[in-house]
Amino acid sequence: MENSKEMRKWLDGMDLPHPLVIAGPCSAETEEQVLKIAHDLKDTDVNYYRAGIWKPRTRPGNFEGVGAIGLKWLQKVKEETGLKTATEVANRAHVDLALEHDVDLLWIGARSTVSPFIVQEIADALEGTDKIVLVKNPVNPDLSLWLGAVERLYTADIKKLGVIHRGFSTYEKTKYRNIPEWQMAIELQSKFPDLPIINDPSHITGKRDMIFDVSQTALDLNFDGLMIETHHDPDNAWSDAAQQVTPKTLVQIMRDLRIRKETDQEAEYNSKLSNLRAQIDVIDNQLIDTMGKRMKISDDIGELKKKKNVAVLQSNRWNAILGNMILEGEQRGLSEEFVLRMFKAIHQESINHQEKIINK
Ligand code: PEP
Ligand code: MN
């Protein structure tokens, strides 16, 4: 698949003064709930009203969605509020039902994107239609799998396309529900600058009080839009209660976000600068994270040396590391002086960690 301006025509054609906004509940629960939230979102920046009809749940026994009846409620949303509608499809039957009920935008969920069979089935079912289709990233951080799904749709002649970045599963405990791995979204944008990319801060954070910050980072990284789960009574939502915001909070978030337009030279400069700075922030956070991990391993080495009563410093090992890193650094345009200073500082911190352990 080649980068093609065609993929983003549907979005550019909307000529929005703000990023695209997809909002609505994680799940359609009752007709009243679906209509209440839609009416609350009617006169806001929201462009598409989302509601999950079939819910992929990690474990059985949780609410798995209301099923096809919910599509009738989405039709009512469109009639009563004029909002366009969006839902997740995970097989051919879902696609057929969604088309029958005139859903405007379909998305492929993170658990489906991992399966080329499922994605192909959905692409085949959609062939010849004119729907907008967005592909959520797979649960695992695999850029080719993500792009492969987009490619299957593109090949089935679906040209109104986009991706949704909803973060990635990790075994490690982090402050996120799904870690963003922003560098993947950045790489995807540099390979396919015309493929619209929407951020889903709800599933990245899992917590409503982190949604603003993640949304701002996404906008600073030139994302085209946001998908934010919104519920009139989030605490009592049947799924994803902790991450949903009220319509009022959504409006406030949209008001507070710094949305940069590229209308004049000055604005273009600022927008480029904040984009680059956001990329630097992502890398700095990774550096600190990596240093933390490195020191934890140092602690383990300290424990090992303590048991065997071995000295903290082994100079040949240290010289070998330094020599290697100077060479590696050189290949990446880093001066010997910088690499030396950096590794001396890292080494010193490592020694401090081990000293503490050996003498405890
Ligand atoms: C959702 O959007 O409600 C959903 C199930 O998302 P994901 O596929 O990202 O887990
Ligand atoms: Mn959800």
Side-chain angles (χ1 to χ4, degrees):
M1 184 179 67
E2 281 180 13
N3 180 57
S4 152
K5 286 234 181 301
E6 206 181 351
M7 298 187 294
R8 62 176 305 118
K9 260 196 198 148
W10 65 273
L11 181 58
D12 291 343
M14 291 173 76
D15 203 20
L16 296 171
H18 54 74
L20 181 83
V21 186
I22 304 171
C26 176
S27 303
E29 298 165 3
T30 64
E31 182 170 349
E32 295 67 40
Q33 171 249 15
V34 168
L35 288 169
K36 161 96 183 103
I37 302 166
H39 277 279
D40 286 351
L41 294 175
K42 183 176 166 224
D43 295 313
T44 65
D45 286 346
V46 172
N47 306 107
Y48 284 88
Y49 183 76
R50 64 151 282 155
I53 300 292
W54 302 280
K55 300 302 299 177
R57 306 311 299 271
T58 304
R59 304 192 51 195
N62 294 315
F63 174 58
E64 297 199 318
V66 290
I69 178 119
L71 295 168
K72 299 238 183 305
W73 308 339
L74 283 182
Q75 269 182 318
K76 258 199 171 161
V77 164
K78 207 181 326 202
E79 281 160 27
E80 291 187 15
T81 67
L83 282 167
K84 294 207 166 94
T85 55
T87 201
E88 171 177 347
V89 289
N91 58 39
R92 178 182 285 277
H94 294 169
V95 172
D96 291 344
L97 282 162
L99 293 177
E100 237 170 73
H101 292 82
D102 203 24
V103 177
D104 299 288
L105 179 156
L106 311 177
W107 80 82
I108 298 181
R111 293 163 194 77
S112 301
T113 308
V114 290
S115 165
F117 289 135
I118 293 281
V119 174
Q120 193 58 54
E121 178 178 319
I122 295 171
D124 292 344
L126 280 165
E127 191 157 6
T129 69
D130 197 29
K131 294 291 171 187
I132 300 165
V133 186
L134 305 181
V135 181
K136 285 203 169 195
N137 64 253
V139 284
N140 54 321
D142 184 334
L143 189 56
S144 334
L145 200 53
W146 195 1
L147 284 169
V150 178
E151 203 169 5
R152 284 176 197 279
L153 293 162
Y154 193 80
T155 308
D157 218 24
I158 297 147
K159 298 288 155 68
K160 297 180 177 171
L161 286 167
V163 293
I164 302 176
H165 170 233
R166 51 77 81 194
F168 304 89
S169 285
T170 164
Y171 181 64
E172 285 176 52
K173 281 254 159 303
T174 73
K175 64 176 177 173
Y176 300 102
R177 178 177 173 193
N178 293 293
I179 49 169
E181 305 278 19
W182 293 105
Q183 71 284 359
M184 272 192 58
I186 293 167
E187 193 181 334
L188 187 138
Q189 283 188 75
S190 69
K191 282 194 177 137
F192 294 94
D194 291 314
L195 181 62
I197 180 164
I198 315 292
N199 185 256
D200 172 350
S202 308
H203 290 91
I204 288 179
T205 64
K207 286 179 225 65
R208 64 180 71 90
D209 62 356
M210 288 168 67
I211 286 181
F212 178 82
D213 285 345
V214 167
S215 302
Q216 186 64 62
T217 300
L219 295 191
D220 291 341
L221 291 171
N222 285 342
F223 277 61
D224 297 287
L226 299 166
M227 180 193 256
I228 300 183
E229 287 189 340
T230 311
H231 193 291
H232 67 293
D233 183 10
D235 286 333
N236 291 307
W238 298 3
S239 59
D240 288 351
Q243 71 195 31
Q244 303 205 55
V245 296
T246 60
K248 206 167 142 216
T249 303
L250 178 78
V251 168
Q252 194 58 45
I253 288 174
M254 293 314 295
R255 199 172 290 156
D256 293 343
L257 283 172
R258 292 182 305 276
I259 298 161
R260 298 179 178 88
K261 292 189 209 123
E262 289 178 308
T263 44
D264 61 46
Q265 280 308 101
E266 197 55 27
E268 190 180 332
Y269 160 79
N270 280 320
S271 144
K272 279 199 176 131
L273 188 67
S274 52
N275 175 288
L276 292 169
R277 284 185 173 152
Q279 293 190 41
I280 290 264
D281 288 348
V282 169
I283 291 178
D284 284 350
N285 274 308
Q286 287 171 345
L287 280 175
I288 287 291
D289 195 45
T290 305
M291 284 304 150
K293 284 186 188 144
R294 192 190 191 282
M295 292 310 153
K296 279 217 176 73
I297 297 176
S298 258
D299 290 345
D300 293 344
I301 293 180
E303 295 285 358
L304 212 58
K305 286 179 177 170
K306 181 178 173 142
K307 272 196 203 126
K308 292 287 174 200
N309 202 24
V310 169
V312 162
L313 183 65
Q314 273 83 43
S315 11
N316 12 357
R317 160 84 181 140
W318 169 234
N319 287 332
I321 294 184
L322 261 191
N324 253 336
M325 289 302 111
I326 288 172
L327 280 179
E328 294 282 340
E330 218 168 59
Q331 284 168 16
R332 291 165 179 77
L334 305 175
S335 70
E336 177 170 341
E337 192 213 2
F338 170 67
V339 174
L340 272 176
R341 266 198 292 161
M342 177 170 67
F343 271 89
K344 275 188 183 148
I346 293 173
H347 191 227
Q348 187 57 57
E349 179 73 4
S350 221
I351 288 175
N352 295 349
H353 269 245
Q354 293 192 15
E355 285 284 6
K356 228 190 237 161
I357 286 177
I358 283 198
N359 296 315
K360 117 181 130 192

